[in-house]
Amino acid sequence: MEFPVDVALAELVPQLPTGPRWWYEVKLDGSPDTSMCLIAHAQVPLPDSFGFCDHLPMVDIRDRSALRTLVGEVVAGLGSLTHRELTPALEQLGMPPVPEDAGSKRERIELSFSQVADAELPQVTRRVLEQSYFYVSASVRYQMEDLLWEEDAPLKIPKKARRELARALDLSELARNHAPFLRLLDRFWITEEPGPSIDDLLNGRRPVTLRDRIERHVFRNPGDWSAEVLFENLGVFEAGDARFARFLEGLVSADVLLDEDLQRATVSTVNGYLRPAGVELRLTGDDGGYPLFTMVSTRLHGNRRPKNIIFASLAKPDIRFRSSVDNDIEIAGGDPDDILVYDWEIPIEGLRWRDVHAWWQTTRKFSSEIDARKNLYQRLLKSLPKNSDGQRNLYIAYHEILKPSVEVPALLPEVWLHWDHKTVQERGPEALLRSRMDFLLLLPHGQRVVLEVDGSQHYTRDRGRIPDTAKYAEMVAADRDLKLRGYEVFRFGHDELKHLDAARDLMRQFIPDMFRRFRVSNP
């Protein structure tokens, strides 16, 4: 295989990896100083991923060739539009613009789609599924959704658990509300696309669809089918884990069951078969007064939603209760801007930058959203220790890598875990250790992730000259305490982040891995 950039690449890498698990793309990346970029992809995680354009947002070694082929066939349907209509349609789908004089409509579509980077392909896919410019058949939609959802590392639900669950469900209870139940089936399964039989063609009859048979055997003749038979016909037992999880969440929703007692009883039945597999439907919020259940791992702690997040403080906060009954606190004395307290409700999807930006703009009375974002960025950066380049570089790299989107989790620096008006010396053996966390992310469904940057002061004394096993033991004990309270802790050595370029490289690999681990969608 030959590339027009051999000379440039030879200066970066002496030999390109080869083999059946590697494939390459040459992409125009649009930067002012680079015209072409070679991106290497592998189907297995490797110790060192190759991405020869430093400004690419994140290292992503997932193979999206199947998704690219499928979406490419679908967007070809834009050819039904006029040249003038095609330009805004490409923009709405998140595809690069192509001038009207660049060729035929087909050529413009193909050129635009060829410039969609692999990292941007999931977002383009979502928009294709939401658009109204052309029709996407149920079977194609099904394939696109499966490929898209599998990227979020869905929880595994084995076939045995699915079948045993189906045998335990009462179909008459699940289908008591005709229209909502059918809408749910239409949403997740292919119910309207049969192939006409030869007999149908010869006799001019409309083919009988799965939806027709559901109407007959579930509603007109209740008792004909059990839940197991219905699931078999729908393809539930062979479906991807992500589709099955979403289907169960819909099945126990208020939109389908319309009865809270029935919701809770059905969830109890479902969980009896899912928990041995390490997953469960958990109450994570409400939907118009009805309980809202989400599929989560049983290893995920049932954390309460945070109420007051004290972070980015420039001094130790002087706290007092306005109401101990309601857990309402206030900062007494000093400059109120020295201590930040986020007291808005934390959404079920976690705390994202859009939430923090809105809070800052509202409470600080900024008229411009852009000015509020810039001001908040500088204020949070100011709170980081001046003697910790590692913390500052992690913070900067996180923002640089994810800056196009406000839908990603907010990275909160210097978060107070607990507070005591007395010092450690005054409190003695009962002192609470490690009062602050370097960084905290509040992820979907109550997941809490702590990022710690460890310098030598964490395990030495006398300015790093003498190892201190007592300090190390305190750090390990504090980690255990955090994990038992439902936090996941990831530690970085300061030397890993000492230089900004190294921090960027590390975060490009760590962030997508972390998002997949905790099922965080990355717009």
Side-chain angles (χ1 to χ4, degrees), residues 113-139:
F113 188 63
S114 69
Q115 296 179 56
V116 174
D118 264 16
E120 298 164 358
L121 190 58
Q123 181 61 25
V124 171
T125 306
R126 293 185 189 96
R127 293 184 179 183
V128 166
L129 292 171
E130 295 167 357
Q131 57 77 41
S132 57
Y133 289 107
F134 50 84
Y135 173 71
V136 180
S137 70
S139 58

Side-chain angles (χ1 to χ4, degrees), residues 328-345:
D328 290 333
I329 66 170
E330 66 178 354
I331 305 299
D335 186 341
D337 282 336
D338 282 351
I339 313 294
L340 304 187
V341 182
Y342 186 91
D343 54 3
W344 287 17
E345 182 178 0

Side-chain angles (χ1 to χ4, degrees), residues 390-398 411 439 453 492 497 507:
Q391 279 182 254
R392 297 174 70 84
N393 289 338
L394 188 154
Y395 175 81
I396 293 169
Y398 186 90
L411 182 70
F439 297 99
V453 180
F492 299 88
L497 303 164
M507 287 297 107

Side-chain angles (χ1 to χ4, degrees), residues 370-513:
I370 295 176
D371 290 344
R373 290 185 191 179
K374 291 179 178 178
N375 183 266
L376 176 62
Y377 175 85
Q378 293 299 330
R379 173 61 183 82
L380 299 186
L381 185 63
K382 182 180 178 182
S383 72
L384 297 173
K386 290 183 172 54
N387 63 348
S388 179
D389 291 337
Q391 279 182 254
R392 297 174 70 84
N393 289 338
L394 188 154
Y395 175 81
I396 293 169
Y398 186 90
H399 279 79
E400 287 183 355
I401 291 168
L402 297 173
K403 64 184 176 184
S405 175
V406 296
E407 298 300 317
V408 296
L411 182 70
L412 304 180
E414 296 294 301
V415 180
W416 285 83
L417 174 64
H418 43 246
W419 182 87
D420 191 336
H421 69 281
K422 290 187 176 183
T423 65
V424 172
Q425 289 76 18
E426 291 171 336
R427 185 64 67 187
E430 297 181 358
L432 295 168
L433 302 177
R434 197 169 67 183
S435 56
R436 278 186 290 182
M437 299 172 278
D438 289 350
F439 297 99
L440 174 67
L441 298 110
L442 299 173
L443 303 182
H445 314 310
Q447 301 175 102
R448 302 175 182 184
V449 171
V450 176
L451 307 183
E452 290 285 334
V453 180
D454 295 339
S456 60
Q457 75 275 11
H458 286 79
Y459 45 83
T460 63
R461 63 179 185 274
D462 294 341
R463 296 183 179 180
R465 289 192 291 268
I466 301 175
D468 191 329
T469 56
K471 276 190 173 182
Y472 178 75
E474 287 181 3
M475 182 179 71
V476 172
D479 265 14
R480 286 197 304 269
D481 179 63
L482 274 176
K483 290 176 181 177
L484 290 171
R485 295 168 67 174
Y487 293 82
E488 291 282 351
V489 183
F490 293 92
R491 292 190 166 277
F492 299 88
H494 185 270
D495 283 0
E496 293 182 280
L497 303 164
K498 185 163 55 176
H499 302 292
L500 183 55
D501 286 345
R504 289 191 187 105
D505 291 341
L506 179 57
M507 287 297 107
R508 286 190 189 111
Q509 297 186 38
F510 174 75
I511 292 171
D513 288 343

Side-chain angles (χ1 to χ4, degrees), residues 129-203:
L129 292 171
E130 295 167 357
Q131 57 77 41
S132 57
Y133 289 107
F134 50 84
Y135 173 71
V136 180
S137 70
S139 58
V140 172
R141 175 180 293 274
Y142 190 103
Q143 295 177 65
M144 292 171 66
E145 288 175 341
D146 277 353
L147 291 170
L148 195 60
W149 292 343
E150 287 300 315
E151 293 206 350
D152 292 332
L155 299 167
K156 302 299 181 185
I157 306 172
K159 293 179 185 178
K160 181 181 178 183
R162 301 185 192 193
R163 190 169 290 278
E164 291 178 347
L165 168 60
R167 290 170 181 167
L169 292 173
D170 184 345
L171 183 57
S172 65
E173 292 284 1
L174 300 177
R176 63 163 64 172
N177 300 298
H178 182 278
F181 186 72
L182 280 180
R183 280 197 299 270
L184 176 73
L185 300 188
D186 290 339
R187 169 65 187 88
F188 288 105
W189 312 105
I190 302 173
T191 61
E192 291 277 14
E193 288 189 8
S197 66
I198 295 177
D199 190 47
D200 290 332
L201 293 173
L202 292 175
N203 292 283

